[in-house]
């Protein structure tokens, strides 16, 4: 359950719903917002079939780094490993931006405080740094409490809409018609539909983190596959249900307009109507705690990638040390905290907005990187089981060939959606230098990883041989 909590907390249901659903409905798929989540659930479940098959045989803190190294080779593994590090490193800072923005608004509205957003960001980073130093089970308990609360309030609001028959038009069946996943809002066409689908997929980023905690779980060969499928399917069904109820509550005429002009009202209005103003105030607090839990989960992901690379002697071997008492990758955790702090300070000095710039731009950067890695991971499954013919007892025409192929092609399509809709997704931040540099930063890390691997192959073949190959059975900690 701890691994499931970590993965679902990283996906952050309340942050995904409040941050992405208004964009999907207001600018993407319109009333077909729930259909976009249905499509994303199907694609990600297919992707997970191959991912789970790989996880049964390879348990490594580096997850994608280890999977791709075994399936596509060390060069592709290192390139993917650096991309994954980039993604998770910036994701923590991105979510801290959303956390600071949400907490600043809450403190102003409910507590009458008027502090700059930077103070809230620094507070969040400090607490995460302390939590990351200790045992993963402590972090899982904190995330579990936050997760249960946010799921409870979203479920309560949705069930209230369901049991009262929906909104002014009842329960809108067009919201869950799968065909509407490919229609743009108000007939806007494929571009708007693509934008909505991209934000639907964005809502799951982090579910794959289950594999990172394999070395810290009791029986990873069983825990990781089960936790992955529970996370993907469970989160997907929850997203579909909540989005359907929120769209129905606003009605056929009001949902798109409300989402475009005041996205949070999609959630505030039904909560206030069915439970009173106190529920809205509680919901505001849970948006804050949910975003904090998400940032802390991404911190754990980044720490484990830095740890996985560090214990192989890359970047710095100190990153590969674990705490003698807590077993946590404490050095990697401290380094990640320092990186996140540096990013926050850079945005503060630049006078940028925590939501528009820090959350939006860093999320785009990280999502582009991690989607490329997920695409490569799908093809790595095929390479591992069929090209290399490893573990023939697991190899299967659907599980390790067809499903990964379909998932990989679909993931590549989502990357295309991201590139095609980057300007719209970034909004007001699309005029910044960082936005312009996003593709170049991703390319720099990817080709830098290739260059590093090729250099190690020629200059230090012994270390090259170890690249991406440390798995649970070989880990010194065991």
């Amino acid at each position: 359950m701890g691994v499931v909590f970590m993965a679902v907390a990283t996906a952050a249901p309340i942050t995904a719903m409040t941050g992405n659903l208004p964009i999907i409905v207001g600018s993407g798929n319109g009333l077909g917002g729930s259909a976009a989540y249905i499509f994303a659930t199907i694609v990600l479940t297919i992707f997970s079939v191959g991912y789970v098959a790989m996880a049964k045989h390879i348990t490594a803190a580096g997850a994608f780094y280890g999977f791709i190294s075994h399936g596509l080779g060390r060069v592709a593994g290192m390139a993917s490993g650096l991309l994954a590090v980039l993604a998770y490193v910036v994701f923590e800072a991105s979510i801290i931006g959303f956390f600071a923005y949400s907490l600043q608004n809450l403190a102003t509205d409910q507590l009458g405080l008027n502090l700059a957003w930077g103070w809230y960001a620094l507070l969040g980073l400090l607490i995460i740094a302390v939590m990351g130093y200790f045992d993963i089970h402590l972090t899982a308990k904190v995330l579990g409490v936050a997760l249960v609360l946010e799921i409870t309030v979203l479920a309560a609001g949705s069930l209230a809409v369901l049991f009262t028959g929906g909104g002014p038009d009842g329960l809108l069946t067009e919201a869950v018609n799968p065909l509407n996943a490919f229609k743009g809002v108000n007939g806007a066409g494929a571009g708007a539909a693509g934008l909505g689908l991209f934000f639907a997929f964005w809502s799951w980023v982090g579910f794959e983190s289950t594999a990172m905690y394999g070395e810290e779980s009791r029986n990873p060969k069983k825990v990781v596959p089960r936790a992955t499928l529970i996370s993907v399917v469970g989160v997907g069904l929850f997203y579909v249900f909540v989005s359907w109820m929120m769209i129905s509550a606003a009605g056929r005429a009001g949902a798109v307009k409300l989402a475009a002009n005041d996205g949070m009202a999609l959630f505030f209005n039904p909560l206030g109507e069915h439970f009173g103003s106190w529920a809205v105030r509680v919901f505001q607090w849970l948006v804050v705690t949910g975003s904090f839990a998400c940032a802390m989960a991404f911190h754990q992901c980044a720490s484990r990638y830095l740890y996985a690379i560090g214990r192989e002697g890359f970047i710095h071997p100190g990153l590969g040390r674990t705490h003698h008492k807590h077993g946590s990758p404490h050095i990697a955790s401290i380094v990640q905290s320092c990186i996140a702090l540096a990013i926050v300070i850079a945005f503060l000095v630049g006078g940028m907005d925590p939501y528009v710039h820090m959350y939006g731009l860093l999320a785009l950067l990280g999502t582009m990187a991690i989607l490329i890695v997920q695409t490569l991971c799908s093809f790595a499954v095929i390479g591992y089981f069929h090209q290399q013919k490893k573990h023939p007892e697991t190899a299967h025409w659907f599980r390790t060939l067809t499903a990964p192929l379909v998932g990989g092609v679909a993931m590549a399509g989502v990357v295309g959606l991201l590139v095609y809709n980057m300007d719209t997704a970034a909004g007001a931040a699309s005029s910044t230098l960082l936005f312009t540099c996003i593709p170049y930063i991703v390319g720099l890390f990817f080709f830098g990883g290739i260059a590093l691997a090729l250099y190690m192959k020629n200059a230090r073949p012994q270390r090259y041989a170890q690249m991406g190959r440390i798995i649970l059975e070989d880990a010194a900690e065991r």
Side-chain angles (χ1 to χ4, degrees), residues 242-262:
V242 172
S243 61
W244 182 21
M245 293 303 105
M246 295 303 106
I247 292 171
S248 296
R252 190 172 284 111
V256 174
K257 184 178 180 181
L258 198 63
N261 297 320
D262 184 11

Side-chain angles (χ1 to χ4, degrees), residues 210-236:
T210 50
M212 299 178 198
Y213 304 108
E215 294 186 18
E216 297 162 86
S217 60
R218 289 193 184 94
N219 189 351
K221 305 301 183 187
K222 291 184 178 180
V223 166
V224 172
R226 290 177 182 174
T228 303
L229 289 174
I230 290 171
S231 300
V232 172
V233 178
V235 166

Side-chain angles (χ1 to χ4, degrees), residues 14 51 75 83 115 130 159-160 168 183 201 228 232 244 270 276 281 349 353 357 381 390 393-394 403 409 423 427:
I14 199 166
Y51 187 77
V75 175
L83 270 189
L115 295 176
V130 174
L159 289 171
K183 295 180 181 179
F201 277 93
T228 303
V232 172
W244 182 21
R281 291 194 293 271
V349 172
D353 184 82
H357 297 109
V381 175
K390 298 288 184 68
E393 74 279 7
T394 301
V409 171
D423 287 358

Side-chain angles (χ1 to χ4, degrees), residues 417-451:
L417 291 176
L418 169 56
V419 174
Y420 183 78
N421 294 287
M422 272 187 66
D423 287 358
T424 307
S430 61
S431 60
T432 62
L433 177 62
L434 178 56
F435 174 81
T436 305
C437 292
I438 285 176
Y440 300 101
I441 295 172
V442 172
L444 177 65
F445 272 75
F446 185 77
F447 291 108
I450 292 176

Side-chain angles (χ1 to χ4, degrees), residues 303-325:
S303 299
R304 275 147 188 80
Y305 264 97
L306 290 172
Y307 161 76
I309 292 177
R311 72 176 173 182
E312 294 181 0
F314 300 106
I315 303 180
H316 192 283
L319 291 171
R321 290 168 51 194
T322 54
H323 195 279
H324 69 281
K325 179 179 179 181

Side-chain angles (χ1 to χ4, degrees), residues 29-39 42 171-183 197 240 244 247:
N29 307 93
L31 296 178
S34 300
Y37 280 113
I38 292 174
F39 178 74
I42 293 171
L171 299 176
L172 299 178
T173 55
E174 54 261 54
V176 289
N177 182 345
L179 295 178
N180 290 333
F182 309 100
K183 295 180 181 179
L197 286 171
V240 171
W244 182 21
I247 292 171

